[in-house]
């Protein structure tokens, strides 16, 4: 069973508008043949990035959405708004949001549900802390996050799962390929409880992915792509990761 790879760039709260435009234009000029590419810029830059991407096939995503479609929620953005300006995906439950904004699995599930309702693909993030890994609880923690965060309507067409160990994000450290393999095998098994076509769901790895380690991480069974932070801010690095598929 072949699952087409997805290489997603999470720009987080980085780039000026000029940098965002040039990054998007540089990536859109050389779309990958081997993988689908997804760019998730800061929300104020979405429309500008959309116009740089044009009809190249590079996809656009938000970094978060509110569970409801409209209303009195100052500062929030709905999934419907993201869809209307051309997003196909939205990241939900990134560990930085789980930490900075105290998002629970239930809230992440509600956001993922909102994404599906708006016709977006939800990129649901999970991952253990270093303390949880050291205590041997990594598989259990991630299993619990998956059970709590995946909405009932999830399927392989509307849901992507990203495994991002918290201790590997922005640190230059990554799990061993054996550890990534064990986690991704575990995730494939766990999601089958909630998703009937679980075998086709894209499972991404994220956390200090670089051009130097991408090939070995992307070669792991059940790794169907990457969610890239820092290295997604350089055209050459992001495209090199895509070329490593
Ligand atoms: P880094 O690639 O910078 O470690 O970030 C990973 C990440 O959090 C992507 O969502």
């Amino acid at each position: 069973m072949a699952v087409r790879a997805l290489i997603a760039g999470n720009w987080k709260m980085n780039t000026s508008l000029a940098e965002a435009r040039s990054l998007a234009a540089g990536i859109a000029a050389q779309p990958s043949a081997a993988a689908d590419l997804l760019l998730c810029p800061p929300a104020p830059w979405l429309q500008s990035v959309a116009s740089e991407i044009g009809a190249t096939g590079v996809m656009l995503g938000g970094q978060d959405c509110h569970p409801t479609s409209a209303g009195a929620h100052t500062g929030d953005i709905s999934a419907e708004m993201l869809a209307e300006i051309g997003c196909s995906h939205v990241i939900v439950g990134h560990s930085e949001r789980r930490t900075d904004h105290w998002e629970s699995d239930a809230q992440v599930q509600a956001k993922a549900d909102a994404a599906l309702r708006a016709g977006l693909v939800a990129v649901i993030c999970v991952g253990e802390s270093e303390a949880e890994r050291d205590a041997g609880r990594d598989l259990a923690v991630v299993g619990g996050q998956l059970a709590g965060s995946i909405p009932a309507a999830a399927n392989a067409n509307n849901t992507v799962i990203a495994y991002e160990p918290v201790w590997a994000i922005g640190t230059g450290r990554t799990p061993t390929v054996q550890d990534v393999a064990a986690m991704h095998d575990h995730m494939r098994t766990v999601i089958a409880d909630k998703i009937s076509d679980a075998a086709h769901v894209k499972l991404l790895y994220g956390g200090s992915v670089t051009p130097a380690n991408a090939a070995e991480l992307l070669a792991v069974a059940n790794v169907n792509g990457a969610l890239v932070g820092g290295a997604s801010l350089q055209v050459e690095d992001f495209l090199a990761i895509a070329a490593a598929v």
Side-chain angles (χ1 to χ4, degrees), residues 2-3 18 52 77 85 102 117-118 122 126 135 147 203 212 230:
V3 175
E52 295 296 339
I77 299 169
I85 59 165
W102 308 282
R117 181 191 66 218
V126 295
L203 303 180

Side-chain angles (χ1 to χ4, degrees), residues 10 12 94 96 164 168-170 207-209 227-230:
N10 176 8
K12 307 189 181 182
H94 191 282
E96 288 149 16
E164 299 203 309
I169 295 175
S208 295
V209 176
L227 182 54
V228 186

